[in-house]
Structure formats: C-alpha cells, structure tokens
Amino acid sequence: MKYLLPLAASATLLAPAAYAVDIEVAYAYSSVFDPTFERIMEAFETAHPDIHVTFRATYEDYEDATNTILREAVADTLPDVSFQALNRQALLVERGIAKPLDPYIAEEDGFETAGYHKAMLDLSSFDGQIYGLPFSVSTPIGFYNMDILRAAGVETIPTTWDEVVETCRAINAKGEHDAIFWHWDISGNWLLQAAMWSQGVPMIEDGKLNMDNPEGVRALETAKAIFHECAMKPVSGGDASKQFAAGDLGMFFSSTAYVGFVDRSKLGDWDFVTAPYPGIDDAPKALPAGGNSAMLTSTSDDPEVLEAAWQFIKFTTSGEGAAAVALTTGYVPPNKVANDLLMDNFYAENPNKLTAVNQLPLLSEWFAYPGDNGLAVTQVIEDSLESILVGDADDMEELRDEMVDEVNALLPH
C-alpha cells in the first residue's frame, strides 16, 4: 500500500529560494519526531510554497520545552509555533504565552467536520477557548522481546506487575539479557501517575498531591519491586530504548511513541510485540493521556506571520499531518480523519501500533501540578523515585509521607 506523505530528505533542504513569509517552530524529542516532521514538511511546502518554516533546536524533553519557552517569553524570543506537552498547556495559558485559536477556527469553513475529536480538543481548552490542537496522543504500553521471554520459559505476556516481576526473575535466572526497564523518569511523572490511575485514583485532587492513601503506598511499592526484584539498571530511557531495539532487553515499559523508533532501529530478526500496560492486581482502571499539542506562541503583530503559523498548526494536526504521526511513531493521531485513513489496513499491518489505540477508552488526565512551582514538584517526585532506585529509600510509607508533605508545601495554599 502507498501511504500518505512520502518521506522528505530534510525539512530545511526542501524550501524554495524565496518566500512570502517566514515562521519559526520548536518541538521536543528529536529521535521520535524528526522523521514525522520530515514527512510533514514535504507535503506542507507543496501546499504552502509561500511559507518557509525554520525549526529551532529541538527541546530535549517536555520539561525542557516548558523551561525554554518560559525563558524565551522573558527574553521576547518566542517561536511562532511551539509543540508543548498536554499537561503543561495550562501554565502557558496562565502566563499569556499561548494565544487562543478560536478566531482562526471561526474563519475555517467546515472545521467541525475536519476530524478533530471533541474529547481531544477538550484537552487543550481552557476557560471556554481552544489554545492548542492536539498533535499526538499516547498511552503507556509494554514492549516485549518474545525471543528473550520464551528462552526464559515465559510464553504468556504479563498483565499485572506481579507477573512482570515473575517474568523478570525468569529472565534474570538465564543470565543472558537484562530483564526490564520501566521509564520511571519520563516527563511529568507520567508512569507514577499511571500507577495511581491504574488503581482508579487521581494523583492530584483538590489541588493537592493525592497519594496520602493506601494506593499511594502501593504505587511506590510497585516501583520498588520493579527496581529491585527485577534488578533494573539505572540507565536513561533513551539508552534503554536503544538496548531494547538492539535485542538485548526483555521488557520495556514506556510511551507508545517509541514503537516507531524500535521499528526503525531494530537489530536482528527477533519477535517484537507490544501489549496493554500492566495493572496492579488486575487491568488498569484508567491511564494518563500523554502527548503534545501545537500552540500559537508568536509575538508577531504581522497578520501574515500569524496566518502562516495557523496554517502550519492546522496542517500538522489535520488528517494528512496527523497520519504522519502514526506512520512514523507509535502515537495515536488525535484526528478521526487520520484514523479513518489508516484503519483499513495500516493497523492490520502494524499491530504493535494498535495497542495504544485500543487503550483510548482508558484515557484520563495527565495532571499538571498547579501554581508557579509545578516544575519543582515534578522534580521532587522524580527525586523520590530515584531514591528508591538507588536504594536510599526502603520504607515506602515513610517516603510517601515525606513526598506528600514536600509537594503540598510547594503547591498553592
């Protein structure tokens, strides 16, 4: 089958010699999204030959994206379009950095039929206005090297974390490969939020950290079991994804976004399978929605620049642009037109990318911590998880209490 959006050699090499207008764009996670934007740019420049897009240096991750744009707002050097994590949008709205898209949407004929899920638009709506168009939506999933599992005598993919730990023990007993990486330090404490949502409990409630409960202790105990009973090595998520793609890691738990990377980087002819994210005791009751949206952050007063930025936002999140997300990553396109284009045979041919689509009914809020200390709260929680990983914390109830007190002291009173 011939899919939409043939791969472009380079977004910066395709441009004609002269343009009517220039815009600047910034996004995160180069290894994940560079191929996506290469595909998008060939089609975009064909459709809009008068618009030249310059991509700024890629944000390292979503925290870097937020920190960078906050600094740029102070220095008055904002890009025209910025792709920001779904859980950081509210901060940019509160600071007046993101501009509402409603005036542009109002001028679009047939926008209501352009494929945007209302539930997806709601992820980027604040005080009755739309400030972003979702570009990619993810859920956490399990990645499995079935050759390693079978060699360890495991034929069935684990569905709970207790089963994951038992699988770790079997792999470690063979002594030939590392058993697991659980992406504990992924952006926004996403997988700890997943451990809470799996139990049906939101991590933030009434503006406070909602872990002062048995579910909070259970979430931390689960992390402890993964780290220590599975003998997980303290490597980065990027290194772990490369190890998995090389065929040297049995299980990898992270964002569905990495499916495309593994497909492109996979070494050898081993059996790569994705499966639903494990739950605590049973299947997850809910999971946090990950991903990012395209936001208008331009400070230009030139109507042509603003219109060009809107055209880029609209194109990248449209059926055609959103289809590129599915083709090059494991993200779910937040656009019904894209999914309609792909469902007939793409997912049948790429079942590893269907796992996240099947988990969409579980999507729940990926919490941003309220107030000016939101990024500091993220770091406190990450530091708490790291203390478990390196063995500095052993009593999970005591750690939970310390973390709750420290976080809530940072949140607005």
Side-chain angles (χ1 to χ4, degrees), residues 340-355:
D340 290 344
L341 290 169
L342 295 167
M343 284 301 281
D344 283 347
N345 46 24
F346 175 73
Y347 288 119
E349 296 171 6
N350 297 271
N352 283 337
K353 294 185 178 182
L354 185 60
T355 300

mmCIF file with all atom_site columns, all heavy atoms in Angstrom, residues 340-355:
data_model
loop_
_atom_site.group_PDB
_atom_site.id
_atom_site.type_symbol
_atom_site.label_atom_id
_atom_site.label_alt_id
_atom_site.label_comp_id
_atom_site.label_asym_id
_atom_site.label_entity_id
_atom_site.label_seq_id
_atom_site.pdbx_PDB_ins_code
_atom_site.Cartn_x
_atom_site.Cartn_y
_atom_site.Cartn_z
_atom_site.occupancy
_atom_site.B_iso_or_equiv
_atom_site.pdbx_formal_charge
_atom_site.auth_seq_id
_atom_site.auth_comp_id
_atom_site.auth_asym_id
_atom_site.auth_atom_id
_atom_site.pdbx_PDB_model_num
ATOM 1   N N   . ASP A 1 340 ? -9.345  7.228  10.143 1.00 0.00 ? 340 ASP A N   1
ATOM 2   C CA  . ASP A 1 340 ? -10.130 6.618  9.070  1.00 0.00 ? 340 ASP A CA  1
ATOM 3   C C   . ASP A 1 340 ? -9.237  6.235  7.895  1.00 0.00 ? 340 ASP A C   1
ATOM 4   O O   . ASP A 1 340 ? -9.424  5.197  7.260  1.00 0.00 ? 340 ASP A O   1
ATOM 5   C CB  . ASP A 1 340 ? -11.230 7.577  8.605  1.00 0.00 ? 340 ASP A CB  1
ATOM 6   C CG  . ASP A 1 340 ? -12.331 7.745  9.646  1.00 0.00 ? 340 ASP A CG  1
ATOM 7   O OD1 . ASP A 1 340 ? -12.405 6.908  10.563 1.00 0.00 ? 340 ASP A OD1 1
ATOM 8   O OD2 . ASP A 1 340 ? -13.099 8.721  9.539  1.00 0.00 ? 340 ASP A OD2 1
ATOM 9   N N   . LEU A 1 341 ? -8.249  7.100  7.613  1.00 0.00 ? 341 LEU A N   1
ATOM 10  C CA  . LEU A 1 341 ? -7.327  6.815  6.514  1.00 0.00 ? 341 LEU A CA  1
ATOM 11  C C   . LEU A 1 341 ? -6.474  5.587  6.798  1.00 0.00 ? 341 LEU A C   1
ATOM 12  O O   . LEU A 1 341 ? -6.080  4.866  5.881  1.00 0.00 ? 341 LEU A O   1
ATOM 13  C CB  . LEU A 1 341 ? -6.409  8.024  6.278  1.00 0.00 ? 341 LEU A CB  1
ATOM 14  C CG  . LEU A 1 341 ? -7.040  9.281  5.674  1.00 0.00 ? 341 LEU A CG  1
ATOM 15  C CD1 . LEU A 1 341 ? -6.064  10.444 5.766  1.00 0.00 ? 341 LEU A CD1 1
ATOM 16  C CD2 . LEU A 1 341 ? -7.450  9.041  4.234  1.00 0.00 ? 341 LEU A CD2 1
ATOM 17  N N   . LEU A 1 342 ? -6.197  5.352  8.075  1.00 0.00 ? 342 LEU A N   1
ATOM 18  C CA  . LEU A 1 342 ? -5.238  4.320  8.442  1.00 0.00 ? 342 LEU A CA  1
ATOM 19  C C   . LEU A 1 342 ? -5.867  2.993  8.840  1.00 0.00 ? 342 LEU A C   1
ATOM 20  O O   . LEU A 1 342 ? -5.230  1.947  8.728  1.00 0.00 ? 342 LEU A O   1
ATOM 21  C CB  . LEU A 1 342 ? -4.386  4.821  9.615  1.00 0.00 ? 342 LEU A CB  1
ATOM 22  C CG  . LEU A 1 342 ? -3.478  6.027  9.329  1.00 0.00 ? 342 LEU A CG  1
ATOM 23  C CD1 . LEU A 1 342 ? -2.943  6.594  10.640 1.00 0.00 ? 342 LEU A CD1 1
ATOM 24  C CD2 . LEU A 1 342 ? -2.339  5.646  8.419  1.00 0.00 ? 342 LEU A CD2 1
ATOM 25  N N   . MET A 1 343 ? -7.102  3.023  9.319  1.00 0.00 ? 343 MET A N   1
ATOM 26  C CA  . MET A 1 343 ? -7.645  1.835  9.963  1.00 0.00 ? 343 MET A CA  1
ATOM 27  C C   . MET A 1 343 ? -7.828  0.651  9.025  1.00 0.00 ? 343 MET A C   1
ATOM 28  O O   . MET A 1 343 ? -7.746  -0.494 9.453  1.00 0.00 ? 343 MET A O   1
ATOM 29  C CB  . MET A 1 343 ? -8.987  2.160  10.643 1.00 0.00 ? 343 MET A CB  1
ATOM 30  C CG  . MET A 1 343 ? -8.839  2.928  11.950 1.00 0.00 ? 343 MET A CG  1
ATOM 31  S SD  . MET A 1 343 ? -7.848  2.075  13.194 1.00 0.00 ? 343 MET A SD  1
ATOM 32  C CE  . MET A 1 343 ? -9.054  0.903  13.814 1.00 0.00 ? 343 MET A CE  1
ATOM 33  N N   . ASP A 1 344 ? -8.095  0.910  7.752  1.00 0.00 ? 344 ASP A N   1
ATOM 34  C CA  . ASP A 1 344 ? -8.398  -0.190 6.843  1.00 0.00 ? 344 ASP A CA  1
ATOM 35  C C   . ASP A 1 344 ? -7.306  -1.251 6.823  1.00 0.00 ? 344 ASP A C   1
ATOM 36  O O   . ASP A 1 344 ? -7.575  -2.438 6.914  1.00 0.00 ? 344 ASP A O   1
ATOM 37  C CB  . ASP A 1 344 ? -8.636  0.328  5.418  1.00 0.00 ? 344 ASP A CB  1
ATOM 38  C CG  . ASP A 1 344 ? -10.016 0.956  5.279  1.00 0.00 ? 344 ASP A CG  1
ATOM 39  O OD1 . ASP A 1 344 ? -10.831 0.755  6.204  1.00 0.00 ? 344 ASP A OD1 1
ATOM 40  O OD2 . ASP A 1 344 ? -10.250 1.626  4.274  1.00 0.00 ? 344 ASP A OD2 1
ATOM 41  N N   . ASN A 1 345 ? -6.064  -0.839 6.682  1.00 0.00 ? 345 ASN A N   1
ATOM 42  C CA  . ASN A 1 345 ? -5.009  -1.836 6.620  1.00 0.00 ? 345 ASN A CA  1
ATOM 43  C C   . ASN A 1 345 ? -3.732  -1.468 7.368  1.00 0.00 ? 345 ASN A C   1
ATOM 44  O O   . ASN A 1 345 ? -2.924  -2.336 7.638  1.00 0.00 ? 345 ASN A O   1
ATOM 45  C CB  . ASN A 1 345 ? -4.664  -2.181 5.166  1.00 0.00 ? 345 ASN A CB  1
ATOM 46  C CG  . ASN A 1 345 ? -4.530  -0.943 4.312  1.00 0.00 ? 345 ASN A CG  1
ATOM 47  O OD1 . ASN A 1 345 ? -4.250  0.130  4.831  1.00 0.00 ? 345 ASN A OD1 1
ATOM 48  N ND2 . ASN A 1 345 ? -4.754  -1.088 3.021  1.00 0.00 ? 345 ASN A ND2 1
ATOM 49  N N   . PHE A 1 346 ? -3.545  -0.189 7.718  1.00 0.00 ? 346 PHE A N   1
ATOM 50  C CA  . PHE A 1 346 ? -2.297  0.189  8.385  1.00 0.00 ? 346 PHE A CA  1
ATOM 51  C C   . PHE A 1 346 ? -2.134  -0.547 9.706  1.00 0.00 ? 346 PHE A C   1
ATOM 52  O O   . PHE A 1 346 ? -1.077  -1.128 9.995  1.00 0.00 ? 346 PHE A O   1
ATOM 53  C CB  . PHE A 1 346 ? -2.230  1.698  8.609  1.00 0.00 ? 346 PHE A CB  1
ATOM 54  C CG  . PHE A 1 346 ? -1.029  2.135  9.400  1.00 0.00 ? 346 PHE A CG  1
ATOM 55  C CD1 . PHE A 1 346 ? 0.224   2.133  8.822  1.00 0.00 ? 346 PHE A CD1 1
ATOM 56  C CD2 . PHE A 1 346 ? -1.154  2.511  10.731 1.00 0.00 ? 346 PHE A CD2 1
ATOM 57  C CE1 . PHE A 1 346 ? 1.351   2.514  9.558  1.00 0.00 ? 346 PHE A CE1 1
ATOM 58  C CE2 . PHE A 1 346 ? -0.047  2.895  11.470 1.00 0.00 ? 346 PHE A CE2 1
ATOM 59  C CZ  . PHE A 1 346 ? 1.202   2.899  10.875 1.00 0.00 ? 346 PHE A CZ  1
ATOM 60  N N   . TYR A 1 347 ? -3.164  -0.525 10.541 1.00 0.00 ? 347 TYR A N   1
ATOM 61  C CA  . TYR A 1 347 ? -3.041  -1.170 11.839 1.00 0.00 ? 347 TYR A CA  1
ATOM 62  C C   . TYR A 1 347 ? -3.038  -2.696 11.721 1.00 0.00 ? 347 TYR A C   1
ATOM 63  O O   . TYR A 1 347 ? -2.441  -3.385 12.554 1.00 0.00 ? 347 TYR A O   1
ATOM 64  C CB  . TYR A 1 347 ? -4.141  -0.691 12.785 1.00 0.00 ? 347 TYR A CB  1
ATOM 65  C CG  . TYR A 1 347 ? -3.927  0.731  13.262 1.00 0.00 ? 347 TYR A CG  1
ATOM 66  C CD1 . TYR A 1 347 ? -4.849  1.735  12.988 1.00 0.00 ? 347 TYR A CD1 1
ATOM 67  C CD2 . TYR A 1 347 ? -2.786  1.073  13.981 1.00 0.00 ? 347 TYR A CD2 1
ATOM 68  C CE1 . TYR A 1 347 ? -4.643  3.040  13.416 1.00 0.00 ? 347 TYR A CE1 1
ATOM 69  C CE2 . TYR A 1 347 ? -2.564  2.378  14.412 1.00 0.00 ? 347 TYR A CE2 1
ATOM 70  C CZ  . TYR A 1 347 ? -3.498  3.352  14.128 1.00 0.00 ? 347 TYR A CZ  1
ATOM 71  O OH  . TYR A 1 347 ? -3.290  4.648  14.550 1.00 0.00 ? 347 TYR A OH  1
ATOM 72  N N   . ALA A 1 348 ? -3.673  -3.204 10.685 1.00 0.00 ? 348 ALA A N   1
ATOM 73  C CA  . ALA A 1 348 ? -3.593  -4.650 10.457 1.00 0.00 ? 348 ALA A CA  1
ATOM 74  C C   . ALA A 1 348 ? -2.167  -5.057 10.128 1.00 0.00 ? 348 ALA A C   1
ATOM 75  O O   . ALA A 1 348 ? -1.696  -6.130 10.539 1.00 0.00 ? 348 ALA A O   1
ATOM 76  C CB  . ALA A 1 348 ? -4.540  -5.053 9.329  1.00 0.00 ? 348 ALA A CB  1
ATOM 77  N N   . GLU A 1 349 ? -1.468  -4.186 9.397  1.00 0.00 ? 349 GLU A N   1
ATOM 78  C CA  . GLU A 1 349 ? -0.083  -4.466 9.033  1.00 0.00 ? 349 GLU A CA  1
ATOM 79  C C   . GLU A 1 349 ? 0.900   -4.049 10.122 1.00 0.00 ? 349 GLU A C   1
ATOM 80  O O   . GLU A 1 349 ? 2.058   -4.466 10.106 1.00 0.00 ? 349 GLU A O   1
ATOM 81  C CB  . GLU A 1 349 ? 0.263   -3.742 7.726  1.00 0.00 ? 349 GLU A CB  1
ATOM 82  C CG  . GLU A 1 349 ? -0.555  -4.225 6.527  1.00 0.00 ? 349 GLU A CG  1
ATOM 83  C CD  . GLU A 1 349 ? -0.356  -3.339 5.303  1.00 0.00 ? 349 GLU A CD  1
ATOM 84  O OE1 . GLU A 1 349 ? 0.506   -2.432 5.370  1.00 0.00 ? 349 GLU A OE1 1
ATOM 85  O OE2 . GLU A 1 349 ? -1.065  -3.549 4.306  1.00 0.00 ? 349 GLU A OE2 1
ATOM 86  N N   . ASN A 1 350 ? 0.447   -3.218 11.058 1.00 0.00 ? 350 ASN A N   1
ATOM 87  C CA  . ASN A 1 350 ? 1.308   -2.706 12.128 1.00 0.00 ? 350 ASN A CA  1
ATOM 88  C C   . ASN A 1 350 ? 0.622   -2.888 13.480 1.00 0.00 ? 350 ASN A C   1
ATOM 89  O O   . ASN A 1 350 ? 0.283   -1.911 14.155 1.00 0.00 ? 350 ASN A O   1
ATOM 90  C CB  . ASN A 1 350 ? 1.628   -1.225 11.891 1.00 0.00 ? 350 ASN A CB  1
ATOM 91  C CG  . ASN A 1 350 ? 2.410   -0.980 10.625 1.00 0.00 ? 350 ASN A CG  1
ATOM 92  O OD1 . ASN A 1 350 ? 3.637   -1.003 10.617 1.00 0.00 ? 350 ASN A OD1 1
ATOM 93  N ND2 . ASN A 1 350 ? 1.698   -0.733 9.537  1.00 0.00 ? 350 ASN A ND2 1
ATOM 94  N N   . PRO A 1 351 ? 0.394   -4.123 13.893 1.00 0.00 ? 351 PRO A N   1
ATOM 95  C CA  . PRO A 1 351 ? -0.374  -4.358 15.125 1.00 0.00 ? 351 PRO A CA  1
ATOM 96  C C   . PRO A 1 351 ? 0.281   -3.787 16.377 1.00 0.00 ? 351 PRO A C   1
ATOM 97  O O   . PRO A 1 351 ? -0.416  -3.496 17.352 1.00 0.00 ? 351 PRO A O   1
ATOM 98  C CB  . PRO A 1 351 ? -0.470  -5.885 15.190 1.00 0.00 ? 351 PRO A CB  1
ATOM 99  C CG  . PRO A 1 351 ? 0.671   -6.387 14.355 1.00 0.00 ? 351 PRO A CG  1
ATOM 100 C CD  . PRO A 1 351 ? 0.817   -5.385 13.255 1.00 0.00 ? 351 PRO A CD  1
ATOM 101 N N   . ASN A 1 352 ? 1.598   -3.601 16.359 1.00 0.00 ? 352 ASN A N   1
ATOM 102 C CA  . ASN A 1 352 ? 2.243   -3.017 17.532 1.00 0.00 ? 352 ASN A CA  1
ATOM 103 C C   . ASN A 1 352 ? 1.803   -1.583 17.777 1.00 0.00 ? 352 ASN A C   1
ATOM 104 O O   . ASN A 1 352 ? 1.906   -1.072 18.899 1.00 0.00 ? 352 ASN A O   1
ATOM 105 C CB  . ASN A 1 352 ? 3.763   -3.081 17.388 1.00 0.00 ? 352 ASN A CB  1
ATOM 106 C CG  . ASN A 1 352 ? 4.311   -4.459 17.660 1.00 0.00 ? 352 ASN A CG  1
ATOM 107 O OD1 . ASN A 1 352 ? 3.671   -5.258 18.337 1.00 0.00 ? 352 ASN A OD1 1
ATOM 108 N ND2 . ASN A 1 352 ? 5.490   -4.756 17.130 1.00 0.00 ? 352 ASN A ND2 1
ATOM 109 N N   . LYS A 1 353 ? 1.317   -0.911 16.722 1.00 0.00 ? 353 LYS A N   1
ATOM 110 C CA  . LYS A 1 353 ? 0.833   0.461  16.879 1.00 0.00 ? 353 LYS A CA  1
ATOM 111 C C   . LYS A 1 353 ? -0.651  0.511  17.237 1.00 0.00 ? 353 LYS A C   1
ATOM 112 O O   . LYS A 1 353 ? -1.176  1.584  17.547 1.00 0.00 ? 353 LYS A O   1
ATOM 113 C CB  . LYS A 1 353 ? 1.112   1.260  15.599 1.00 0.00 ? 353 LYS A CB  1
ATOM 114 C CG  . LYS A 1 353 ? 2.600   1.450  15.330 1.00 0.00 ? 353 LYS A CG  1
ATOM 115 C CD  . LYS A 1 353 ? 2.868   2.334  14.131 1.00 0.00 ? 353 LYS A CD  1
ATOM 116 C CE  . LYS A 1 353 ? 4.376   2.544  13.932 1.00 0.00 ? 353 LYS A CE  1
ATOM 117 N NZ  . LYS A 1 353 ? 4.684   3.436  12.798 1.00 0.00 ? 353 LYS A NZ  1
ATOM 118 N N   . LEU A 1 354 ? -1.310  -0.630 17.201 1.00 0.00 ? 354 LEU A N   1
ATOM 119 C CA  . LEU A 1 354 ? -2.736  -0.675 17.535 1.00 0.00 ? 354 LEU A CA  1
ATOM 120 C C   . LEU A 1 354 ? -2.967  -0.742 19.036 1.00 0.00 ? 354 LEU A C   1
ATOM 121 O O   . LEU A 1 354 ? -4.050  -0.390 19.512 1.00 0.00 ? 354 LEU A O   1
ATOM 122 C CB  . LEU A 1 354 ? -3.381  -1.877 16.849 1.00 0.00 ? 354 LEU A CB  1
ATOM 123 C CG  . LEU A 1 354 ? -4.895  -2.038 16.988 1.00 0.00 ? 354 LEU A CG  1
ATOM 124 C CD1 . LEU A 1 354 ? -5.633  -0.845 16.415 1.00 0.00 ? 354 LEU A CD1 1
ATOM 125 C CD2 . LEU A 1 354 ? -5.351  -3.330 16.303 1.00 0.00 ? 354 LEU A CD2 1
ATOM 126 N N   . THR A 1 355 ? -1.960  -1.165 19.794 1.00 0.00 ? 355 THR A N   1
ATOM 127 C CA  . THR A 1 355 ? -2.125  -1.328 21.238 1.00 0.00 ? 355 THR A CA  1
ATOM 128 C C   . THR A 1 355 ? -2.623  -0.050 21.894 1.00 0.00 ? 355 THR A C   1
ATOM 129 O O   . THR A 1 355 ? -3.561  -0.068 22.703 1.00 0.00 ? 355 THR A O   1
ATOM 130 C CB  . THR A 1 355 ? -0.799  -1.772 21.882 1.00 0.00 ? 355 THR A CB  1
ATOM 131 O OG1 . THR A 1 355 ? -0.399  -3.018 21.322 1.00 0.00 ? 355 THR A OG1 1
ATOM 132 C CG2 . THR A 1 355 ? -0.940  -1.919 23.381 1.00 0.00 ? 355 THR A CG2 1
#
